[in-house]
Amino acid sequence: MKKVRKAVFPVAGLGTRFLPATKAIPKEMLTVVDKPVIQYVVDEAREAGVEHFIFVTGRNKAVIEDHFDVQFELYDTLAQRGKGDQLSRLQQLQPSPGQTSFTRQQVPLGLGHAVWCARELVGDEPFALLLPDMIMQSRKSCLKAMVELYEETGNNIIAVQECDPAETHKYGIVGRGEETHTGFRVTEMVEKPKPGTAPSNLYINGRYILQPEIFKILESQERGAGNEIQLTDAMLKLGKQQPFYGYKYDGRTFDCGSPEGFVEANVAFALWRSDMNENMSEVIRTLLDEMHPQRQRSTG
Ligand code: UTP
């Protein structure tokens, strides 16, 4: 079985849900506490053992490439000023030379098309796909647990999470078959099922391990919903040739492509940090008290 060595990050979307913030800044570069959103996702992949990071970018996204580059002047200035801690943190986050590749999706024709743009860089091996809008908060990287499942089952893995059964029409939903190792066999995948028709309340949360045969399917460039080349359509076809397994992730996920999810991520990650938790908790309590004076503070 081939190891999962490469990860694809499609970052060519327009980010219209987050305008005007994303007019000049890619949404992936908006910061959650003190790191850009994309750094969280790259860190998750690195924790899972990924060795090569492939970014499918678009116009106005060059700053993402700069973020992962060495900044000589900055590093030098930090060293001269004795800011060794900050310097070593930057260096830890820095991919090694040759570990990153960037390709452009010249026209944003959909997620399936963005993935297809990475075909030459991925080659003939399985790869992880991480949607950078979605950032995860858990003790163990979601992708790491998926890689462990992959090493047991092979084939294709998708991470899923439970949603409110009344909201299944907003997501890609999977059917749950027999349990296997730390996951289950996926029996079906339905994109945004009509209310009352979903096979479960397990939605696909933006993390995948896919076999390279997906590229052959995407090559047909068939348009789906929204006249875009949809990844789900290609996965449905791949599912007829190869098994898909689901990994049920039980950590938190934040959709940083929407202002609400982004704000929630900032609050959650600030509270998660031991150096900020106490102060942030007090700030939040005070704000809530001021906004809702009738609210009783718990003294416990
Ligand atoms: P979204 O559905 O969030 O689309 O894409 P978007 O264009 O980025 O954002 P909105 O909806 O206009 O606010 C899901 C993921 O797929 C990538 C996006 O960058 C995001 O990571 N994507 C989407 C591409 O790389 N290319 C595309 O053509 C479409």
Side-chain angles (χ1 to χ4, degrees):
M1 183 193 300
K2 285 186 184 167
K3 222 178 140 232
V4 180
R5 298 186 311 121
K6 298 182 180 177
V8 173
F9 305 89
V11 290
L14 299 176
T16 55
R17 280 173 296 154
F18 222 135
L19 283 167
T22 49
K23 191 174 165 208
I25 301 169
K27 61 179 170 179
E28 299 79 11
M29 288 304 292
L30 298 174
T31 50
V32 170
V33 186
D34 59 0
K35 288 194 293 184
V37 165
I38 188 72
Q39 184 74 57
Y40 286 84
V41 189
V42 165
D43 291 348
E44 180 187 337
R46 190 187 284 122
E47 194 188 326
V50 166
E51 296 160 8
H52 197 105
F53 307 90
I54 299 167
F55 299 85
V56 181
T57 72
R59 263 186 295 284
N60 300 328
K61 303 276 182 166
V63 67
I64 296 176
E65 193 164 346
D66 292 341
H67 174 74
F68 290 105
D69 200 1
V70 170
Q71 303 286 347
F72 285 114
E73 295 86 350
L74 174 63
Y75 290 10
D76 196 43
T77 307
L78 289 174
Q80 281 176 23
R81 292 187 183 171
K83 300 197 179 239
D85 288 355
Q86 281 167 323
L87 179 58
S88 70
R89 185 163 181 237
L90 287 184
Q91 285 168 334
Q92 270 165 23
L93 299 177
Q94 175 86 53
S96 304
Q99 268 196 320
T100 51
S101 295
F102 297 83
T103 187
R104 279 207 178 192
Q105 183 191 26
Q106 291 143 331
V107 186
L109 295 178
L111 175 60
H113 183 258
V115 172
W116 180 73
C117 290
R119 68 198 179 283
E120 296 292 336
L121 293 168
V122 171
D124 187 24
E125 56 181 285
F127 64 100
L129 169 66
L130 298 95
L131 303 197
D133 285 359
M134 309 301 278
I135 64 172
M136 315 289 201
Q137 189 182 56
S138 55
R139 296 276 163 222
K140 180 175 181 177
S141 137
C142 175
L143 188 67
K144 188 174 167 63
M146 293 169 70
V147 167
E148 287 168 8
L149 176 60
Y150 168 78
E151 283 165 358
E152 299 289 346
T153 60
N155 295 293
N156 303 276
I157 313 280
I158 42 186
V160 298
Q161 265 178 276
E162 284 183 359
C163 68
D164 180 341
E167 304 219 316
T168 48
H169 62 282
K170 295 184 182 166
Y171 303 101
I173 303 288
V174 304
R176 186 174 193 154
E178 73 185 73
E179 304 293 312
T180 161
H181 306 283
T182 50
F184 61 89
R185 185 77 188 256
V186 172
T187 53
E188 55 183 309
M189 292 179 252
V190 200
E191 188 60 36
K192 301 191 175 70
K194 291 203 177 75
T197 65
S200 75
N201 67 336
L202 297 174
Y203 75 95
I204 302 174
N205 73 3
R207 300 290 184 269
Y208 315 75
I209 293 173
L210 295 171
Q211 295 297 322
E213 286 76 20
I214 194 89
F215 295 124
K216 192 93 204 127
I217 296 169
L218 287 167
E219 208 169 276
S220 69
Q221 310 271 305
E222 248 171 67
R223 304 292 180 111
N227 201 30
E228 292 194 337
I229 300 169
Q230 297 283 354
L231 178 69
T232 317
D233 293 345
M235 290 200 306
L236 279 169
K237 287 191 182 148
L238 185 59
K240 296 202 171 101
Q241 304 165 17
Q242 302 174 359
F244 271 73
Y245 295 92
Y247 166 70
K248 190 162 162 283
Y249 167 74
D250 56 13
R252 296 192 186 97
T253 299
F254 304 98
D255 179 4
C256 289
S258 77
E260 297 81 2
F262 173 77
V263 172
E264 213 180 309
N266 266 288
V267 173
F269 276 95
L271 290 173
W272 184 261
R273 284 217 350 204
S274 56
D275 60 333
M276 296 180 88
N277 175 286
E278 206 176 312
N279 185 39
M280 276 305 297
S281 304
E282 188 52 31
V283 166
I284 292 167
R285 276 192 221 106
T286 305
L287 285 171
L288 286 172
D289 285 350
E290 282 172 13
M291 284 178 186
H292 307 285
Q294 69 287 10
R295 183 177 161 269
Q296 288 284 309
R297 243 193 212 223
S298 153
T299 50

